[in-house]
Amino acid sequence: MTKFFLTLHVLAAILAVGPVTVAASMFPPALRRAQADPQDAAAVASLRLLQRICSVYAFVGVAVPITGFATGGSLGVLGSAWLIASIILTMAAAVVLIILVLPRQEAALEAVTGKGGDGMGGQPADGAGVVAVGERTGSQLAMYTGVFNLLWATVTVLMIIRPGSTTGA
């Protein structure tokens, strides 16, 4: 069962986290292009697609910790320091994505397309989760995405080069 859980865990990480890291990294330059010319349908479509990829795959990414706990349980390492550190870093990455990246992407897309809120402030119609969109939004998104990617890279390193590994690495 351990090999099955590990396979699911690695596949979930590759198929869910990979697209989010790439799409989120591509979003800030796409935002700059769309802000430069909001009438450019291709730039706006790219922005919309990248935001959709991030949102959908973030939801699918829940499979990574679920399969990770199943794998850790079957290996008997749930109390190991490296795994606890990985869990904490994974939670931090999720917080960065859910609180800092996704709302800013959505607000930026709404500001560029003129939909939602006042059309330029990127404010949702219900007033919840208000994120101001300005000149620095693209830079902020790039920074938050970089933090998200760095957290996941660290988790990946901990998963590969874990203390007490039976692989001898």
Side-chain angles (χ1 to χ4, degrees), residues 18-67:
V20 173
T21 59
V22 172
S25 296
M26 293 173 65
F27 191 91
L31 175 60
R32 286 190 284 279
R33 282 192 303 279
Q35 284 176 322
D37 185 8
Q39 302 306 318
D40 182 358
V44 174
S46 293
L47 200 61
R48 187 174 284 121
L49 175 64
L50 292 169
Q51 193 275 330
R52 178 78 172 165
I53 289 169
C54 289
S55 296
V56 170
Y57 282 92
F59 180 74
V60 174
V62 171
V64 176
I66 290 171
T67 57

Side-chain angles (χ1 to χ4, degrees), residues 5 23 49 76 84 88-89 92 102 106 114 120-121 132 134 144 161 164-165:
F5 288 140
L49 175 64
I84 293 168
I88 292 168
L89 292 172
L102 293 177
E106 188 174 328
M120 291 308 293
Y144 295 141
I161 306 172
S165 172

